[in-house]
Amino acid sequence: MACAAVVVPGFLRSSVGAICTQAASLRLMPSTLRHLTLASIMKSKKKTDHLERTANVVRREVVSAAKVCGAANESPSVKRLCLLVADKDFSFKAGQWIDFFIPGVSVVGGFSICSSPRLLEQERMIELAVKYTNHPPALWIHNQCTLDSEVAVRVGGEFFFDPEPSDVSRNLVLIAGGVGINPLLSILRHSADLHRERANKGSGYEIGTIKLFYSAKNTSELLFKKNILDLVNEFPEKIACSLHVTKQTTQISAELKPYITEGRITEKEIRDHISKETLFYICGPPPMTDFFSKQLENSHVPKEHICFEKWW
């Protein structure tokens, strides 16, 4: 599965808000929706494709029509996509992914949602961030996708954070590599929403502290930097981040420098956050997720406190 792909960022609110509002009344016809999903499922047969890799993973039954209502470059290699999903039966938990059905494209995409469930509840929108590759769904998003393009989506995945209001408070450690940030950003944003709700209402789930470790090749490939730092600055008592770059060749900006470490995320950094109240969420390339999940097990962290997802 590809983990690729919040309050909607300003560029989406200002430039496509009207488009999203207008698109809310537009639906794919049931016959069109049925055709594109069935055709894609029948033709998507590569052993390494998303559907086969996730064949045994829990999915929702609902397949919903969606319209592209915004797009922007998040980095030189990653495009951010905003989708309007008017179907009220469509919902997701922070950290989950979608099956992504494209008319005329036989391969089904699999992309993690990077927005918060609150955005969907309030504005019927979700966000993805998709890295450029030769995979047909990614190529379509980067080269052919336009405003009002019609697709279909279905939620799946067992990697999520969805506490009940009465659940015990937990600290979170989020470990991301590359575009593996996407489901973890959804979890981070959802956690911030839960904290705001408790602060405003005096009730609801009490989130513990959250530490994000995020590694990329260089600062231009660190996605959502502003969104992440905005949350760190909004909730300094709750949220902290350590941003790692492994092949930085240019000067690091003064704004980013306090948060940047040159070099990979280390075992010791993660080990320092182990406690019985802490849950660990890991998403990135398979060698990275395998390494940290194994190290945590070796440090006697219960398996039920270690959640990981691999992107391919």
Side-chain angles (χ1 to χ4, degrees):
M1 186 197 117
C3 289
V6 150
V7 175
V8 177
F11 79 89
L12 284 177
R13 286 193 183 280
S14 59
S15 62
V16 304
I19 295 170
C20 289
T21 302
Q22 294 168 5
S25 62
L26 301 176
R27 297 288 194 96
L28 288 176
M29 295 298 291
S31 59
T32 305
L33 180 63
R34 184 167 59 251
H35 172 74
L36 78 90
T37 54
L38 289 177
S40 295
I41 289 170
M42 290 172 65
K43 293 178 182 177
S44 187
K45 295 190 175 182
K46 287 187 178 180
K47 288 187 177 180
T48 57
D49 77 8
H50 164 70
L51 286 186
E52 292 213 2
R53 282 197 304 270
T54 62
N56 297 321
V57 178
V58 173
R59 282 173 164 81
R60 296 200 61 187
E61 293 183 2
V62 177
V63 179
S64 301
K67 274 184 177 287
V68 175
C69 62
N73 292 326
E74 180 63 29
S75 81
S77 64
V78 174
K79 179 169 281 191
R80 188 185 331 194
L81 207 62
C82 180
L83 299 176
L84 181 77
V85 189
D87 184 357
K88 293 296 195 299
D89 290 329
F90 178 90
S91 65
F92 74 98
K93 299 174 182 178
Q96 289 187 303
W97 41 257
I98 55 170
D99 296 330
F100 192 81
F101 302 95
I102 306 165
V105 177
S106 63
V107 179
V108 177
F111 304 116
S112 291
I113 300 168
C114 60
S115 50
S116 168
R118 187 67 52 86
L119 177 64
L120 179 66
E121 292 167 9
Q122 294 179 344
E123 303 190 36
R124 301 312 307 168
M125 287 187 284
I126 63 172
E127 286 187 342
L128 312 174
V130 180
K131 189 176 180 68
Y132 182 88
T133 68
N134 288 326
H135 192 242
L139 281 175
W140 181 86
I141 287 170
H142 279 263
N143 297 333
Q144 295 177 255
C145 172
T146 62
L147 288 179
D148 288 338
S149 288
E150 297 179 342
V151 296
V153 293
R154 176 176 58 194
V155 170
E158 298 159 358
F159 179 87
F160 57 81
F161 179 63
D162 184 41
E164 295 294 328
S166 60
D167 285 351
V168 64
S169 179
R170 294 288 189 184
N171 302 323
L172 301 181
V173 172
L174 312 177
I175 307 169
V179 290
I181 186 63
N182 289 307
L184 300 182
L185 182 66
S186 179
I187 290 171
L188 182 65
R189 286 166 157 168
H190 182 51
S191 300
D193 286 337
L194 293 174
H195 186 56
R196 291 188 193 100
E197 182 178 22
R198 185 175 175 85
N200 292 335
K201 296 182 178 178
S203 62
Y205 181 73
E206 182 177 3
I207 192 74
T209 61
I210 306 166
K211 181 62 181 273
L212 169 66
F213 293 93
Y214 177 23
S215 177
K217 183 172 65 174
N218 53 52
T219 53
S220 68
E221 291 295 338
L222 284 169
L223 310 180
F224 308 108
K225 295 182 286 291
K226 183 180 185 305
N227 304 105
I228 292 167
L229 295 185
D230 283 350
L231 291 175
V232 169
N233 292 324
E234 184 179 357
F235 303 114
E237 79 288 358
K238 285 288 184 181
I239 300 175
C241 72
S242 178
L243 307 177
H244 289 245
V245 291
T246 58
K247 295 181 180 179
Q248 185 73 19
T249 57
T250 59
Q251 187 172 355
I252 297 169
S253 70
E255 181 188 20
L256 279 179
K257 202 155 192 175
Y259 305 96
I260 296 288
T261 298
E262 296 201 44
R264 298 185 183 280
I265 303 166
T266 67
E267 176 189 353
K268 181 182 184 305
E269 287 176 286
I270 305 304
R271 194 168 56 238
D272 287 345
H273 290 271
I274 292 175
S275 76
K276 64 181 181 180
E277 297 86 16
T278 301
L279 303 179
F280 294 84
Y281 286 82
I282 312 164
C283 187
M288 175 185 173
T289 57
D290 290 344
F291 175 79
F292 283 116
S293 58
K294 186 65 174 176
Q295 293 302 320
L296 288 168
E297 285 185 38
N298 291 343
S299 297
H300 308 292
V301 175
K303 284 188 176 182
E304 60 269 24
H305 288 187
I306 305 168
C307 308
F308 63 87
E309 184 114 284
K310 300 175 182 180
W311 62 262
W312 306 87

